[in-house]
């Protein structure tokens, strides 16, 4: 902690004369909170072109301070965003009023990530303003598409976890379910990816540089968050022993509200993101003494907490910052709901009737001891009654099967940063292990396996165990994943509490990822079955009868061709990449991780190229194919970055070799994000979902591709299992080992070198890489990748290679018959309505949350 950071008093509060904000919101008449969303209602501008133009020009003049004739594109974009906000504000305030009056049970979605995508298009769609805005701006001589492209996407997530959270809060608003999304307003978010000589280089994602018109800061709502210090035992006036946390320093959490509009239903839920600030940001005496840097040291220290999404944690400082982030946002969120969303005299024994906090993976699990601390130390609850409330207020979603992805925090770090919480965790573990020993007497090995505290390799807190002990329900995110979660990841817990485990297969919002991202296909679907599918995706089943309708197939292909042309134009402008016409567009876009097996796709491409070079296959016999990669590697993940480098070097060689010109190409646009996904996914012909079976929790990219008419090549992993079952084997390209076969091969001892020796295609492809063909003759440049494949191959790329190549041959055969391919694509769309995030939300509501939509 900086020397001039705000110290706390022995009671853990900031002295009144130094507090930069009031600790809590002032209460209105009759104890009703004067919530910022419960102010006097405002009127939306008239829902007409003239009304829109008047509101837009008013925003441009009064908010941006410019006349139309002197306005920049950014001025116009900010004015447009402000205008759309006006249309949503009345709905937002009315939603808040009704929710508070009804005292409705709310979903508190706790997530360290929200990968929102651009907000303008979604807001226009949800408020039915697209046509009005386009016509209104046209009267002003402005192109709506130009202003759409001005928006900078907030990079507040890393991948599927963050995008799922965004889909879920969209669905809850559309389904009229009260929800508050809680997270962190990262100043920089996920890094902006660039390539230098084929290597990934991370640059800050300055998404706030030109302003963020979609957020509402409320510094008067700031929450104080404490860290460090020690605990003291005291006796209260009733003679009961109590514990007081005496923290050493604190920061402020400033809420920024975002509107989450439901689709055409008038509901607008809040997304509340927290930004860290110092409680004592500036020391005038130090400044006047000339030490200008030291004068603002506390501010810099505090703001680091919300500076960057997932700071590099290979150092002790990075680990501590991550834990600070996690506690910071859940402490703010719990305090916000208890102090600001409930009545002043609310009995917290009834808290589970008003809130269910969904833990989106292990990042927010420190909320469990935080709620216990609030109830016991601040509200006087005894342990048993505090635990009863806490247990009923939390549910936990596990998003992984990889042991290294299940967070474990050092007891030394947690005790230093959050000493009271460590004491509470020890207490939770003590009570829990007593239950384990009572149920399984004499089985100390089981007790050791299940303990929240691990002793090896170092003493730490297993956050997944804590979440499972605390949660009323624990769910996986696909049928296979939930089964493996019960059977392999948490088997002792499922034996103790089988009723606690359930499955909710993930979904995606059809509003953003079909209607908005794929307007041509959306029009084709709506012309055939009406518009009701947008909020009832199961209605896509009605398209099955059109799979044999020639006119529909033609329209479907025309939509795909339009999407390919749109993508070609975008990539040429954005990245200088030209996509050839008439190619099979083969797409693999996802986080770069070895278990996702981008190396398998790359080896296939290298094998095709090698066969042409060696004369085994004539280039003219190759099915024209463009392979598109999109992936970011975590900054500290060296192997993933080496794989990116290899992909880019292979791409450079193949794309400049005349012998495969017009037949084989690789495109790897940098900085893959939601905005690019909305153009790339609708254009794809083939979706690569090729993780090792038993490794992928669910995948939601696979759902987006299938819903947009791409066929899938994939293993029986994650949600692929359910996609294949729904669309039919004839419309899905299955390859590779099943999860039991993977487990059996691993148990018997997997030797990738044997596959390298036995399979000539594998050997030729890897040897070509090792020859320096893609590295200007440097034979050792990619040893890290090839040695890993031939000597370790943790994710069994070589074991599945031949099956994958065989599947690709079937793909090429089917693609040659465009009518058959299009029919299969139509059936993929028709049969994947199950994968709506609306259906996921219904499953959560029915099986876990027990909330009700508001009428």
């Amino acid at each position: 902690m900086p020397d001039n950071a705000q110290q706390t008093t022995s009671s853990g509060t900031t002295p009144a004369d130094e507090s930069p904000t009031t600790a809590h919101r002032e209460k209105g008449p009759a104890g009703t909170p004067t919530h910022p969303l419960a102010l006097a209602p405002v009127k939306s501008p008239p829902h007409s072109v003239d009304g829109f133009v008047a509101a837009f020009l008013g925003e441009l003049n009064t908010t941006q301070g410019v006349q139309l004739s002197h306005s920049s594109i950014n001025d116009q974009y900010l004015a447009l965003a402000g205008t759309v906000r006006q249309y949503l504000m009345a709905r937002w305030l009315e939603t808040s009023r009704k929710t508070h009056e009804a005292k409705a049970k709310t979903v508190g979605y706790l997530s360290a990530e929200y990968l929102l995508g651009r907000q303008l298009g979604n807001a226009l769609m949800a408020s039915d303003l697209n046509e009005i805005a386009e016509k209104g701006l046209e009267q002003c001589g402005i192109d709506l598409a130009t202003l759409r492209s001005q928006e900078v996407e907030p990079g507040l997530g890393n991948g599927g976890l963050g995008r799922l959270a965004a889909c879920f809060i969209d669905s809850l608003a559309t389904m009229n379910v009260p929800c508050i999304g809680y997270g962190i307003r990262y100043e920089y978010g996920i890094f902006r990816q660039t390539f230098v000589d084929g290597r990934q280089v991370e640059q800050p994602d300055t998404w706030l540089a030109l302003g963020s018109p979609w957020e509402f800061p409320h510094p008067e709502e700031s929450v104080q968050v404490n860290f460090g210090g020690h605990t003291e035992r005291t006796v209260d006036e009733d003679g009961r022993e109590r514990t007081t946390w005496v923290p050493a320093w604190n920061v402020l959490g400033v809420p920024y509200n975002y509107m989450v509009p439901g689709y055409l239903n008038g509901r607008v839920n809040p997304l509340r993101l927290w930004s860290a600030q110092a409680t004592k940001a500036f020391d005038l005496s130090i400044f006047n003494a000339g030490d200008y840097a030291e004068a603002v040291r506390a501010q810099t220290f505090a703001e680091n907490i919300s500076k960057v999404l997932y700071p590099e944690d290979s150092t002790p400082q990075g680990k501590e910052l991550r834990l600070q982030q996690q506690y910071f946002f859940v402490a703010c969120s719990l305090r916000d709901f208890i102090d600001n969303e409930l009545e002043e005299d609310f009995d917290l024994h009834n808290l589970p009737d008003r809130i269910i906090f969904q833990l989106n993976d292990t990042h927010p699990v420190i909320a469990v001891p935080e709620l216990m601390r609030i109830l016991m130390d601040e509200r006087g609850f005894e342990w048993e009654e505090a635990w009863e409330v806490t247990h009923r207020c939390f549910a936990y979603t596990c998003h992984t099967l990889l042991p290294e992805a299940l967070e474990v925090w050092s007891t030394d770090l947690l005790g230093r940063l959050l000493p009271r919480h460590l004491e509470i965790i020890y207490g939770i573990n003590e009570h829990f292990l007593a239950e384990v020993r009572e149920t399984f007497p004499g089985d100390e090995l089981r007790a050791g396996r299940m303990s929240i505290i691990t002793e090896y390799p170092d003493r730490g807190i297993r956050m997944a165990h804590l979440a499972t002990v605390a949660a009323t329900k624990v769910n996986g995110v696909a049928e296979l994943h939930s089964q493996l979660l019960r059977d392999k990841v948490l088997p002792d817990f499922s034996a103790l509490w089988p009723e606690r485990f359930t499955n909710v297969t993930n979904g995606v919002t059809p509003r953003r990822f079909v209607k908005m991202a794929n307007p041509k296909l959306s029009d084709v679907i709506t012309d055939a079955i009406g518009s009701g599918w947008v909020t009832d995706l199961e209605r896509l089943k009605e398209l099955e009868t059109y799979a044999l309708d020639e006119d529909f197939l033609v329209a479907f292909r025309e939509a795909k061709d339009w999407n390919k042309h749109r993508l070609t134009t975008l990539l040429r402008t954005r990245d200088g990449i030209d996509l050839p016409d008439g190619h099979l567009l083969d797409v693999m876009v996802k986080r770069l991780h070895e278990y996702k097996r981008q190396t398998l796709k790359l080896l296939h491409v290298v094998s095709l190229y090698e066969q042409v070079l060696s004369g085994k296959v004539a280039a003219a016999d190759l099915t024209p194919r463009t392979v598109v990669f999109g992936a970011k590697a975590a900054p500290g993940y060296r192997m993933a970055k080496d794989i990116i480098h290899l992909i880019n070097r292979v791409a450079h060689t193949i794309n400049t070799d005349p012998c495969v010109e017009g037949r084989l190409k690789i495109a790897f646009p940098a900085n893959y994000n939601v905005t690019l996904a909305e153009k790339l996914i609708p254009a794809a012909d083939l979706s690569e979902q090729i993780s090792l079976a038993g490794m992928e929790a669910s995948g939601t990219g696979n759902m987006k591709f299938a819903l947009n008419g791409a066929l899938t090549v994939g293993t029986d992993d994650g949600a692929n299992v359910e996609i294949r079952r729904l669309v039919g084997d004839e419309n899905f390209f299955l390859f590779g080992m099943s999860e039991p076969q993977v487990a059996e091969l691993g148990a018997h001892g997997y030797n990738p070198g044997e596959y390298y020796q036995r399979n000539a295609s594998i050997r030729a492809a890897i040897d070509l890489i090792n020859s320096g063909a893609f590295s200007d003759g440097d034979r050792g440049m990619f040893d890290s990748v090839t040695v890993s494949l031939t000597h370790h191959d943790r994710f069994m790329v070589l074991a599945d290679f031949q099956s994958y190549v065989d599947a690709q041959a079937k793909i090429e055969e089917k693609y040659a018959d465009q009518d058959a391919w299009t029919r299969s694509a139509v059936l993929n769309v028709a049969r994947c309505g199950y994968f709506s995030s609306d259906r996921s939300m219904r499953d959560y509501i029915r099986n876990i949350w027990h909330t009700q939509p508001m009428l």
Side-chain angles (χ1 to χ4, degrees):
M1 183 197 69
D3 296 337
N4 65 335
Q6 179 62 58
Q7 300 285 337
T8 55
T9 66
S10 60
S11 63
T13 60
T14 303
D17 60 346
E18 295 185 14
S19 177
T21 67
T22 55
H24 304 294
R25 176 184 303 130
E26 294 181 1
K27 300 290 183 176
T32 303
T34 57
H35 197 282
L37 305 186
L39 301 174
V42 297
K43 291 184 178 180
S44 299
H47 218 78
S48 65
V49 173
D50 289 344
F52 187 91
V53 170
F56 171 73
L57 293 176
E59 280 285 326
L60 197 60
N61 297 158
T62 61
T63 303
Q64 297 309 115
V66 295
Q67 295 179 336
L68 178 61
S69 58
H70 291 87
S71 61
S72 67
I73 292 177
N74 195 58
D75 288 330
Q76 294 166 11
Y77 160 69
L78 292 173
L80 173 58
T83 304
V84 177
R85 273 190 4 175
Q86 291 184 42
Y87 282 86
L88 292 175
M89 278 303 302
R91 304 174 189 185
W92 194 17
L93 300 177
E94 182 66 5
T95 296
S96 178
R97 183 188 65 79
K98 288 182 176 179
T99 301
H100 281 84
E101 286 183 356
K103 300 179 180 177
K105 185 174 182 178
T106 297
V107 177
Y109 203 79
L110 298 175
S111 180
E113 298 185 34
Y114 288 93
L115 202 55
L116 298 170
R118 288 174 171 172
Q119 296 296 287
L120 176 60
N122 188 67
L124 287 169
M125 176 180 62
S127 53
D128 197 24
L129 283 173
N130 264 314
E131 185 175 350
I132 289 174
E134 189 166 12
K135 290 180 178 178
L137 292 174
E138 187 178 335
Q139 288 187 10
C140 299
I142 298 170
D143 177 32
L144 175 58
T146 300
L147 300 194
R148 283 177 182 265
S149 64
Q150 178 69 15
E151 182 175 359
V152 178
E153 175 184 326
L156 304 179
N158 184 44
L161 182 81
R163 186 52 238 173
L164 184 78
C167 284
F168 281 4
I169 60 175
D170 170 271
S171 283
L172 288 169
T174 297
M175 296 166 66
N176 273 304
V177 176
C179 171
I180 304 174
Y182 284 116
I184 302 177
R185 180 184 178 265
Y186 301 102
E187 184 177 344
Y188 291 105
I190 191 68
F191 61 86
R192 181 175 176 271
Q193 181 192 53
T194 59
F195 297 136
V196 177
D197 296 329
R199 298 180 186 274
Q200 174 178 292
V201 174
E202 301 91 26
Q203 296 182 342
D205 176 25
T206 55
W207 68 281
L208 291 168
L210 295 178
S212 178
W214 302 104
E215 63 183 19
F216 296 81
H218 285 284
E220 79 285 357
E221 299 290 320
S222 296
V223 175
Q224 181 176 295
V225 180
N226 297 320
F227 292 98
H230 64 278
T231 62
E232 295 178 352
R233 301 292 182 266
T234 59
V235 177
D236 66 16
E237 57 188 18
D238 296 324
R240 298 178 300 178
E241 185 177 286
R242 293 296 179 191
T243 300
T244 300
W245 178 20
V246 184
W249 55 281
N250 53 46
V251 300
L252 288 178
V254 180
Y256 285 74
N257 287 312
Y258 286 72
M259 293 184 287
V260 183
Y263 178 70
L264 304 182
N265 68 349
R267 184 169 192 90
V268 181
N269 282 334
L271 169 63
R272 195 158 295 152
L273 303 179
W274 299 94
S275 178
Q277 292 184 7
T279 50
K280 187 179 180 182
F282 181 74
D283 193 311
L284 184 60
S285 62
I286 294 177
F287 183 86
N288 287 337
D291 195 342
Y292 306 134
E294 184 64 22
V296 294
R297 188 177 174 215
Q299 178 179 354
T300 302
F301 182 83
E303 291 178 355
N304 281 340
I305 292 177
S306 57
K307 186 72 72 176
V308 177
L309 170 70
Y310 296 154
E312 169 57 39
D313 65 351
S314 60
T315 65
Q317 296 89 339
K319 287 183 172 64
E320 182 165 344
L321 183 55
R322 278 213 190 189
L323 183 55
Q324 288 174 6
Q325 284 187 337
Q326 293 181 7
Y327 177 65
F328 165 76
F329 99 84
V330 300
C332 289
S333 303
L334 267 60
R335 178 66 66 191
D336 173 75
F337 189 83
I338 291 172
D339 287 354
N340 299 332
E341 298 294 332
L342 300 174
E343 306 84 64
E344 188 174 23
D345 59 351
F346 183 82
D347 183 353
L348 288 181
H349 289 89
N350 300 320
L351 185 60
D353 297 331
R354 294 291 292 276
I355 188 70
I356 178 71
F357 289 109
Q358 187 66 39
L359 302 169
N360 193 31
D361 218 2
T362 54
H363 311 122
V365 173
I366 196 66
V368 171
E370 171 66 1
L371 182 55
M372 288 287 288
R373 185 194 67 80
I374 292 171
L375 295 176
M376 292 191 301
D377 298 356
E378 298 182 9
R379 301 302 178 97
F381 280 43
E382 297 297 337
W383 180 279
E384 290 75 14
E385 56 184 343
W387 181 250
E388 171 66 17
V389 170
T390 298
H391 170 59
R392 293 173 55 209
C393 279
F394 288 102
Y396 166 50
T397 301
C398 179
H399 284 277
T400 187
L401 292 166
L402 298 175
E404 61 266 31
L406 297 172
E407 286 185 309
V408 177
W409 287 110
S410 159
T411 54
D412 288 342
L413 171 59
L414 203 146
R416 185 172 69 253
L417 203 62
L418 302 168
R420 179 58 178 141
H421 298 75
L422 182 60
E423 292 177 353
I424 292 171
I425 291 170
Y426 281 144
I428 293 171
N429 196 47
E430 181 181 345
H431 285 78
F432 165 62
L433 290 183
E435 181 178 353
V436 172
R437 291 182 174 113
E438 180 180 348
T439 308
F440 304 100
D443 194 347
E444 283 303 306
L445 288 177
R446 181 188 296 267
R449 292 195 305 267
M450 298 182 73
S451 175
I452 295 170
I453 313 299
T454 181
E455 304 293 342
Y456 303 101
D458 299 299
R459 203 156 203 258
I461 310 298
R462 296 189 273 211
M463 302 306 280
H465 287 205
L466 176 58
T468 305
V469 170
T472 182
K473 288 287 185 180
V474 177
N475 72 281
V477 291
E479 287 180 5
L480 177 61
H481 173 243
S482 295
Q483 175 190 331
L484 294 174
L485 186 64
R486 290 189 299 266
D487 297 346
K488 294 193 173 184
V489 179
L490 298 169
D492 293 314
F493 291 89
S494 65
L496 178 62
W497 298 311
E499 74 288 346
R500 189 169 296 191
F501 286 77
T502 188
N503 172 65
V504 179
T505 298
N506 283 343
V508 302
T509 169
R511 271 75 62 183
R512 180 176 288 272
F513 286 105
V514 183
K515 181 172 175 59
M516 190 172 81
N518 201 339
K520 293 297 182 183
L521 178 60
S522 296
D523 288 345
V524 171
I525 295 171
T526 297
D527 288 345
I529 65 172
S531 61
W533 62 271
V534 179
T535 53
D536 182 7
L537 205 59
E538 293 282 5
R539 284 196 57 189
L540 291 179
K541 290 178 181 176
E542 298 169 31
L543 292 175
E544 286 207 36
T545 58
Y546 289 89
L548 298 175
D549 184 311
E550 289 301 323
D551 290 339
F552 184 85
L553 295 179
V554 168
F556 191 94
R557 275 197 295 267
E558 287 176 348
K560 181 66 71 173
D561 290 342
W562 183 88
N563 285 318
K564 287 185 175 182
H565 175 73
R566 179 179 64 165
L567 177 65
T568 299
T569 303
L570 173 68
L571 291 183
R572 183 180 298 125
T573 303
R574 178 187 187 271
D575 302 277
I577 295 173
D578 280 310
L579 297 182
D581 292 331
H583 276 213
L584 168 68
L585 196 61
D586 179 355
V587 179
M588 186 173 191
V589 287
K590 51 188 76 254
R591 181 166 50 92
L592 202 303
H593 196 289
E594 289 168 275
Y595 88 83
K596 294 180 182 288
R597 302 203 296 189
Q598 282 91 349
T599 47
L600 179 56
K601 176 74 261 178
L602 184 64
L603 280 181
H604 172 239
V605 175
V606 172
S607 178
L608 291 175
Y609 180 57
E610 189 280 329
Q611 290 177 57
V612 173
L613 290 182
S614 63
K616 300 184 188 77
V617 173
D621 293 334
L622 293 180
T623 296
R625 180 193 299 254
T626 295
V627 178
V628 180
F629 289 96
K632 291 182 180 181
Y637 191 174
R638 179 175 176 179
M639 177 60 74
K641 297 176 86 166
D642 288 347
I643 291 169
I644 285 177
H645 186 206
L646 176 57
I647 293 171
N648 277 322
R649 293 302 295 258
V650 171
H652 174 76
T653 301
I654 289 177
N655 294 347
T656 56
D657 192 334
C659 77
V660 289
E661 186 175 1
R663 313 304 292 187
L664 185 62
K665 184 179 179 72
I666 298 176
F668 195 163
N671 204 47
Y672 178 69
N673 57 13
V674 176
T675 302
L676 180 55
E678 290 169 0
K679 303 297 191 298
L680 179 53
I681 290 171
D685 294 308
L686 183 65
S687 166
E688 299 272 353
Q689 307 297 329
I690 59 177
S691 55
L692 179 65
M695 294 291 117
E696 184 69 83
S698 173
T700 50
N702 48 9
M703 304 169 189
K704 295 165 193 166
F705 280 104
L707 282 167
N708 281 276
L711 274 59
T712 303
V713 54
T715 52
D716 248 350
D717 195 28
N720 286 355
V721 177
E722 291 152 276
I723 292 176
R724 182 171 66 88
R725 185 173 67 230
L726 288 168
V727 305
D729 286 338
E730 66 279 11
N731 303 307
F732 186 105
F733 300 101
L734 177 67
F735 79 96
M737 296 176 287
S738 65
E739 189 278 330
Q741 290 171 329
V742 169
E744 182 180 3
L745 179 57
H748 285 84
Y750 171 55
N751 182 1
E754 293 180 1
Y755 290 85
Y756 169 79
Q757 292 297 335
R758 291 202 310 257
N759 189 300
S761 295
I762 292 175
R763 191 166 61 253
I766 291 178
D767 287 353
L768 186 62
I769 296 171
N770 286 336
S771 72
F774 307 109
S775 49
D776 298 325
D778 185 344
R779 294 174 177 268
M781 181 176 289
F782 297 112
D783 279 354
S784 62
V785 179
T786 57
V787 169
S788 177
L789 286 172
T790 54
H791 290 78
H792 309 291
D793 197 14
R794 177 184 173 192
F795 300 106
M796 299 183 180
V797 170
L798 301 193
D800 271 350
F801 178 83
Q802 190 57 53
S803 177
Y804 178 69
V805 169
D806 294 343
Q808 291 289 343
K810 294 177 183 176
I811 289 166
E812 293 178 354
E813 181 181 351
K814 184 153 193 167
Y815 190 73
D817 183 346
Q818 279 294 290
D819 286 341
W821 185 276
T822 305
R823 280 193 293 272
S824 286
V826 170
L827 291 174
N828 266 261
V829 176
R831 294 172 179 174
C832 281
Y834 173 79
F835 297 107
S836 168
S837 52
D838 299 349
R839 188 271 315 149
S840 298
M841 293 300 90
R842 287 193 294 271
D843 288 349
Y844 273 101
I845 289 167
R846 181 177 61 252
N847 299 326
I848 299 175
W849 297 336
H850 308 298
T851 52
Q852 295 295 326
M854 292 185 64
L855 299 178

